Amino acid sequence: MSRLYRIGYDVPFEPFGVLEQGKPSGMLIELTDHLLTCAGMAHEFQSMTLAETEGALFSGRVDALAFKGVTADRLKTMIFSDPLIVSGAATFTRAGALPQPDLGSYTGKTLVTPKKGPMWAQIERNHPTITLVDGDSYEGSFTALLDGRADVAALNLHAGIAIANRLFPDKVACSKTPYTPLAISFAIAPSGPAELVSAINRELAIAKSDGTWQRIHDRWMRRE
C-alpha cells in the first residue's frame, strides 16, 4: 500500500490557501494537488493557522507544507522546492493613481498596512518619514485607502490583488511587481521525505511548460 503524505497549509491566505465549504482549496493547494497527483503520490491536505505550521512540520504531524515563504532564516531549518510562485510586498493605490514600486517615493505620505503583518516593522525601520496607519486586515487596509485615510497600502502582491478584485472591483490600482520579492515554495523538514520535493520539482517544470501553471494562476487571480 502506498504511503499517504500529509500536507499542511495555513488558512486563510487568499488566494494561495483557503477553505471552501470546509474543503482545502486555493491557488497553491490546487497546484500542489495537481503536481503530487501527476507524480502518483497519495496525499491529503490539513488546514491550520499560520502559527501552527512550523510546529506541525517539525513535530512530524505533517510531512510537508504546501507553501511557505523562502527566507534566510527558514533556509537554515527547512528544505524547499523550486519556487511555486514569486510574490512579495507590493503597493496599492486608489484607481487613477499609479502605484510606485519604490517606497521611497512615498516620503511624507501616509501608508496603511496591518500592524500585525510582516511589513509594518520593516517600513517603520527603513522609511521613518512615512506615516503608518494600522489597517488591521487586508479589507480594513483597502477601506482606509479608499476612504482617504492613507495615500498608499502595502500588502502581499497576490493576496492584495485577489482581495481587491473580489471586494473592491475597479477601485484599486494594483502593482505589477513586488517591491520586495519573496519566493513561495513547497517545504519539508531536513529529515522529511525528500521524494516529495523531487516530485514537486519534476512536475512543476512540466506544469510550467504545458501551460497548467498559468491556467491555475490566472483562474484564481480572476475570481470574484
Side-chain angles (χ1 to χ4, degrees), residues 95-124:
L98 183 65
Q100 299 301 312
D102 179 10
L103 284 185
S105 302
Y106 294 103
T107 295
K109 302 293 186 178
T110 300
L111 181 149
V112 62
T113 193
K115 190 171 185 178
K116 60 188 177 185
M119 299 168 207
W120 182 284
Q122 183 185 54
I123 296 170
E124 189 174 46

Side-chain angles (χ1 to χ4, degrees), residues 27-28 30-32 34-36 38-39 66 80-86 184-186 196-214 216:
M27 179 197 294
L28 297 186
E30 181 179 345
L31 176 61
T32 301
H34 170 81
L35 301 179
L36 293 177
C38 289
F80 290 96
S81 71
D82 294 337
L84 301 175
I85 197 168
V86 176
I184 299 178
S185 299
F186 186 89
L196 282 177
V197 172
S198 297
I200 289 288
N201 288 343
R202 182 177 64 251
E203 298 299 335
L204 179 61
I206 296 171
K208 287 189 173 182
S209 66
D210 69 12
T212 300
W213 184 95
Q214 195 66 53
I216 293 173

Side-chain angles (χ1 to χ4, degrees), residues 41-55:
M41 293 183 155
H43 58 282
E44 64 179 15
F45 292 103
Q46 297 182 12
S47 62
M48 57 192 68
T49 66
L50 174 61
E52 293 177 302
T53 53
E54 294 189 25

